[in-house]
Amino acid sequence: MRRIALVLSSLIACSAALSQAQEPPGRVGRLAYAEGGVSMYQDPEQGWEQAYVNSPVTSENSVWTQPGARAELRVGGTALRLDEDTQLDVSEIADDALEAGVARGALNVRVRYKQGAERFAISTPHARFILEADGRYRIDADPDANQSRLTVFSGAASMETSQGRVRVDPGRSIVVHGASSEYAFETAQDDAFDRWALERDNQWRDAVSRRYVSTYMTGYEDLDGYGQWSQDADYGALWFPARVASDWAPYRNGRWSYVRPWGWTWIDDEPWGYAPSHYGRWVFVRNRWGWDPGRRVERPAWAPALVGWVGGANWSAGGSPGASNVIAWYPLAPWERYEPWYRSNANYLGRVNSAVQDRAPRGWQGHGDDWRRINRDRATTVVQRDAMLDRRPVQHSIVAIAPDALRRQQTIGPAQVRQALPQHSELIRRRAEPGQATAAPSRRPAASGAPAQASQGAPQQNSLALPDFSRRPTPAVLAPAPANRPPSQATRPGGPFPGARIEPNPLAAPPAVNPAAGGNANPAARAEPLPPAPVNDRQREAQQLQQQRQVREAQQLQERAQREAQQQREAQQRDAQQRDAQQRDARQRDTQQRQAREAQQQERSQGEAQQQREAQQRDAQLRDAQQRDAQQRDAQQRDAQQRDTQQRQAREAQLQQERAQREAQQQQQRDAQQLQQQQERAARAGQQQAQQAQQAAQQALRAQDAQRAQEAQRAARGAPPPQPAPANPVARGERDKEADKAKEKEKEEKQR
């Protein structure tokens, strides 16, 4: 017993190690469109639930559309559109494979950007179809009529059988009947559902986004229609959503849902919100939020929500442990690593964190480490744990927390996150509570390909509508129509499709016929003679001859039966050898395909490594170019400043020169005016002196005339002439001084 316990414990440890080393799915689809009642099956313990747009779709998920409803699934560059009353069971979504089954209804498939190694297989209860190239296809499954159909509008497809494939050309349909195991070709025809799907294709715009992200990324096709791309010096290509509120923040408009194998997964309410919620990082630049997808890689890794978690298991809104427990999160920035709270491995961590660059933005360099908390301080969202359990919209369940109290909470690691988040058992108990019934389809989907039945009154229980995720085996070789009646009578009840052409399968072989099956297995026992009666010699001889003849015939029959049995054994051996050969060929093909996939994986890894190296080189070159540009800009700025200084100095010198010239001109004008005024004063003074001299001369003449007249009168009277008065020396000196001054002024004016 002790040894058995040790063995069991070692097995459990090995299985745990293997599960921990398992890589989560790297490619995940989504529900991109829903019109009417649409349900999803993601967890056997929860059953069918209401479907939300942007719900992730992975392996072993199922989608059901009720009557009058339609839905669209996206997986990278492939669109799968469900008509009403259709059940699609997704068996596998892998990096290179999409395996699904149509239990009933109609499925329109648009394949774009298919890579060479990718495999698309759609099964029905009656056939298995392979979509081999980009194109438009339709798959119909009708369990009530016991038939399936593949229509190829464009592209390349085939029907797979155990001995080969039957090709279906573009513009043709192939119909497979389950009752008679026959197939028929028809001309392809579309209906309103196909025209609706084509209209959805015409709205597919991705020319700009394909430059920055891979078509492998699910949800990329909605980016061009709901935002715009812009280049940033720190982060490169950023995508900015259009028409969002001023207080909008990532991971705040939507809900949480428990999705296996990851656990709690974010479902965004925005039609464009799938890719930015599950790839890349968010950054706040130029007063708005921008999505940073990182450098373009061919196959990016998917994550349920690229967020960091705040608080812990005992954090409460009111401050008392256990009362109103809350949980908080914020979008990760380009410099923050993503830490999964589910099981993963190193390869997955390397892929999901390949674009992380731990460096400060330019505006924050040299200003401490506050830049590391930008996203947390601006976009932390707090809700109660019950909001996650009930899948309530987060925007209507936000709990107001004081900023200081929020800053005091620590960012928690994966182990603490697993303790803080609601457990799966809590979710199951909550679903079992009164008033928490899940949304079962109004019409029960078919289980394992059985015909669906309309619901009567109350909804059916989820356990009655389990999807079939097992890979359906390749159908056997289709049998040809019987030879004794025309092919038109060998179809399903009700006759063939209008215009159908019934064709036997050329790969079918007629059934083996055993000639000995109609009689006894021992022919000698039938030919054994009865005991002879006593007769004479002639009769005895005749009887002996007859016995010998019967013995020979019995021996011949026995030998013939032995030969036929030997031939049958040889035929069985040949069949067994053929089956063994086919199995060996199949194993060899599987080995070759596995080796090819491994080689492709290695090539992809090498290519991604090369792309990473090239990206690093480009980043280094970009940084060098940016540094050179910065140096050139600094040099240009210095040159411009020097030129501005020189020009300013030249302008100042020119202004000073012009000012000096103006002052000189003004001084000359003033001097000329003063000179003119002096000349005018001198001229006036000269005129006055001349006038005075003239007046003096006139007075002297008058005095002389008066004196002569007096002398004449005295002479006439006989009196002596009067003596002249002496000249005044002082007056004569003043006149000489004034004359000298006038002469000096004239000399100065001449010199000027």
Side-chain angles (χ1 to χ4, degrees), residues 309-359:
W309 298 91
V310 179
N314 296 322
W315 183 29
S316 63
S320 59
S324 301
N325 288 345
V326 296
I327 189 70
W329 64 88
Y330 64 92
L332 292 179
W335 51 82
E336 294 180 288
R337 288 184 59 83
Y338 174 67
E339 298 293 339
W341 53 91
Y342 45 90
R343 290 175 177 172
S344 61
N345 58 13
N347 185 35
Y348 176 79
L349 287 174
R351 293 177 59 192
V352 79
N353 291 310
S354 61
V356 174
Q357 297 181 357
D358 190 10
R359 65 168 183 264

Side-chain angles (χ1 to χ4, degrees), residues 106-141:
L107 176 71
N108 187 290
V109 182
R110 177 67 168 99
V111 180
R112 295 181 71 174
Y113 314 119
K114 180 182 182 297
Q115 299 181 6
E118 287 185 303
R119 184 182 77 256
F120 296 96
I122 308 296
S123 301
T124 68
H126 315 100
R128 176 180 169 85
F129 304 116
I130 308 299
L131 311 183
E132 301 171 349
D134 290 353
R136 294 175 53 238
Y137 310 91
R138 172 168 173 165
I139 296 91
D140 294 86

Side-chain angles (χ1 to χ4, degrees), residues 228-245:
Q228 59 183 357
W229 291 90
S230 178
Q231 291 290 334
D232 185 82
D234 286 318
Y235 310 104
L238 296 179
W239 181 82
F240 294 93
R243 298 182 296 277
V244 294

Side-chain angles (χ1 to χ4, degrees), residues 636-693:
Q636 291 175 357
Q637 290 178 357
R638 287 194 299 271
D639 295 340
Q641 291 176 355
Q642 291 178 358
R643 287 195 300 270
D644 293 340
T645 303
Q646 293 175 358
Q647 292 176 358
R648 185 171 61 256
Q649 292 175 354
R651 285 195 299 271
E652 291 176 355
Q654 185 177 1
L655 290 174
Q656 290 177 357
Q657 185 177 2
E658 292 176 353
R659 190 181 301 110
Q661 290 178 356
R662 285 195 302 271
E663 290 177 354
Q665 290 177 358
Q666 292 175 358
Q667 185 66 32
Q668 289 178 359
Q669 291 177 358
R670 286 194 299 271
D671 294 342
Q673 290 177 357
Q674 291 177 359
L675 179 61
Q676 185 177 1
Q677 290 175 359
Q678 290 176 0
Q679 290 177 354
E680 290 177 354
R681 285 196 299 271
R684 285 194 300 272
Q687 290 178 359
Q688 291 177 358
Q689 291 177 0
Q691 290 177 357
Q692 292 176 357

Side-chain angles (χ1 to χ4, degrees), residues 33 220 274 330 389 392 578 662:
Y33 177 83
Y220 83 96
Y274 189 85
Y330 64 92
L389 284 170
R392 293 200 300 266
Q578 290 177 358
R662 285 195 302 271

Side-chain angles (χ1 to χ4, degrees), residues 67 73 94 109 145 160 177 219 232 235 259 375 392 493 508 513 594 656 685 687 699:
L73 274 64
V109 182
E160 192 175 71
H177 306 298
D232 185 82
Y235 310 104
V259 181
N375 284 22
R392 293 200 300 266
V513 179
R594 185 173 63 256
Q656 290 177 357
Q687 290 178 359
Q699 291 178 357

